[in-house]
């Protein structure tokens, strides 16, 4: 059950989609449970990007900070406007402005939220591209993360990718407890090769599907060829699914370490770009 969704308000083209996906989840929750969900829009001035000490005199630091604050206030007003236009009641809209490290501010505020909804690209003023915050959140956040595609569509179908690992287990539990899209249908897919290889997995995915059903999630179980990520993308596109749910694996984290500047996409990014779907994940 959802109560509070945090939406970091950056200046990228993805933020509107993050707002809309949070509103969609809030609307589905209200339709299914008659419970109101509070949306928290948080604007952040990235103070880590402003020079300090002897280097601060080399740039107009105060002017840059004022401009960044103005951008943040504009994003907060924009968030309120979109939320109201989409039918969110005023009492269920909260906003706040923070200054500091975006990652630390989001992590700190998310402790009292159920979920964080944001886009695939971060741009917290005064910078245009933040290469670290999203990756750090994916790998270190204590709450589920929803990453919105730029071309957001109302979510009616979710492809949940399951395997026998701990990241998938954490994702399954979070989705079941939260049921973020109670009106959407879940297609749970797993590798037919994995079941054939590991005897301990025989019947495991059927139990996982039953676990979701016990939490009032509508789910269909499928065994597919998952020899590479393209097979998952093909299924998502064929089904017209608007969201993918999966756990973050260690291999993805190692890719991040090998490419700290974000010059290459992580596997999960490749999957999202191949499908144009949004993502539900848990670190």
């Amino acid at each position: 059950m959802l109560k509070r969704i945090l939406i970091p308000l950056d200046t990228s083209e993805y933020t509107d989609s993050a707002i809309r996906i949070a509103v969609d989840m809030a609307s589905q929750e209200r339709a299914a449970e008659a419970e109101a969900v509070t949306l928290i829009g948080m604007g952040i001035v990235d103070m880590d990007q402003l020079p300090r000490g002897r280097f601060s005199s080399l740039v107009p630091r105060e002017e840059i900070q004022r401009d960044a604050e103005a951008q943040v206030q504009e994003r907060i007003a924009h968030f309120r406007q979109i939320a109201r236009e989409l039918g969110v009641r005023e009492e269920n809209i909260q906003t706040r402005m923070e200054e500091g490290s975006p990652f630390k501010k989001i992590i700190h505020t998310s402790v009292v939220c159920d979920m964080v909804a944001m886009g695939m690209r971060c741009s917290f003023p005064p910078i245009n591209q933040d290469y670290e915050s999203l990756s750090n959140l994916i790998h270190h956040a204590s709450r589920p993360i929803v990453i919105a595609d730029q071309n957001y569509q109302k979510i009616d179908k979710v492809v949940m990718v399951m395997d026998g690992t701990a990241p998938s287990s954490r994702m399954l539990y979070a989705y079941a407890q939260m049921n973020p899209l109670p009106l959407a249908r879940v297609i749970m897919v797993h590798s037919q090769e994995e079941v054939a290889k590991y005897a301990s997995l025989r019947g495991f995915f059927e139990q996982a599907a039953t676990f979701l059903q016990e939490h009032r999630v509508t789910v269909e179980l499928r065994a597919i060829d998952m020899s590479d990520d393209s097979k998952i993308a093909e299924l998502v596109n064929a089904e017209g699914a608007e969201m993918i749910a999966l756990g973050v694996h260690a291999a993805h984290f190692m890719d991040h370490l090998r490419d700290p500047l974000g010059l290459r996409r992580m596997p999960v990014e490749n999957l999202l770009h191949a499908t144009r779907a949004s993502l539900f994940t848990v670190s």
Side-chain angles (χ1 to χ4, degrees):
M1 182 180 294
L2 283 171
K3 289 294 186 182
R4 296 161 65 90
I5 302 175
L6 174 64
I7 307 104
L9 304 174
D10 72 325
T11 59
S12 77
E13 65 273 27
Y14 292 93
T15 300
D16 280 10
S17 290
I19 297 171
R20 291 178 184 277
I21 204 170
V23 172
D24 190 0
M25 289 181 170
S27 299
Q28 289 203 30
E29 176 74 18
R30 187 169 183 83
E33 299 286 349
E35 293 284 348
V37 178
T38 298
L39 305 184
I40 304 171
M42 183 168 69
I44 306 171
V45 177
D46 189 350
M47 299 298 288
D48 289 350
Q49 305 305 318
L50 296 176
R52 299 178 180 178
R54 60 181 180 178
F55 297 106
S56 61
S57 61
L58 300 178
V59 297
R61 191 178 190 278
E62 293 184 358
E63 180 180 344
I64 293 173
Q65 183 173 347
R66 283 196 301 270
D67 289 344
E69 290 171 352
Q71 290 184 64
V72 169
Q73 293 290 0
E74 186 276 331
R75 298 309 297 169
I76 289 174
H78 181 70
F79 162 73
R80 282 191 170 278
Q81 178 183 349
I82 290 182
R84 285 195 296 261
E85 289 175 353
L86 293 175
V88 181
R89 297 174 181 175
E90 191 65 37
E91 60 264 31
N92 299 127
I93 302 172
Q94 294 183 10
T95 59
R96 60 192 302 170
M97 180 173 173
E98 298 284 353
E99 295 182 350
S101 164
F103 169 67
K104 292 179 181 178
K105 292 297 181 181
I106 295 169
I107 286 289
H108 180 77
T109 305
S110 70
V111 171
V112 293
C113 297
D114 300 298
M115 178 187 293
V116 179
M118 56 195 306
M120 284 193 285
R121 182 179 301 164
C122 296
S123 304
F124 295 103
I127 65 170
N128 295 320
Q129 178 65 57
D130 178 347
Y131 291 103
E132 291 295 320
S133 293
L134 182 58
S135 292
N136 285 337
L137 285 167
I138 289 174
H139 297 296
H140 300 296
S142 61
R143 297 293 182 270
I145 304 289
V146 170
I147 302 174
D149 175 66
Q150 183 179 355
N151 302 307
Y152 171 70
Q153 301 179 48
K154 185 177 183 297
I155 299 171
D156 296 311
K157 192 179 297 184
V158 179
V159 169
M160 179 178 289
V161 184
M162 279 292 297
D163 56 29
T165 64
S168 282
S169 173
R170 288 193 291 269
M171 179 274 297
L172 175 73
Y173 181 78
Y175 196 99
Q177 294 297 317
M178 195 170 297
N179 197 3
L181 294 158
L183 304 184
R185 181 166 68 93
V186 172
I187 302 174
M188 179 187 289
V189 300
H190 65 89
S191 169
Q192 53 196 17
E193 294 83 6
E194 188 180 25
V195 173
K197 185 176 181 180
Y198 300 104
S200 61
L201 291 179
R202 292 171 190 168
F204 172 78
F205 297 108
E206 287 78 6
Q207 294 177 35
T210 300
F211 179 73
L212 281 183
Q213 291 168 345
E214 290 172 346
H215 287 78
R216 296 187 291 176
V217 177
T218 304
V219 59
E220 172 192 346
L221 182 63
R222 291 190 199 174
I224 66 170
D225 173 10
M226 289 172 56
S227 55
D228 59 66
D229 289 344
S230 67
K231 304 297 183 182
I232 301 173
E234 289 172 6
L235 175 66
V236 171
N237 290 330
E239 288 290 339
E242 300 88 6
M243 175 172 280
I244 302 168
L246 53 76
V248 176
H249 290 253
H252 296 183
F253 181 59
M254 292 305 297
D255 285 336
H256 171 61
L257 291 180
R258 287 191 289 266
D259 185 30
L261 295 180
L263 302 178
R264 292 182 290 111
R265 291 175 181 166
M266 293 186 294
V268 67
E269 289 180 286
N270 290 328
L271 179 59
L272 295 181
H273 281 278
T275 61
R276 311 304 297 174
S278 298
L279 173 72
F280 174 94
T281 191
V282 180
S283 60

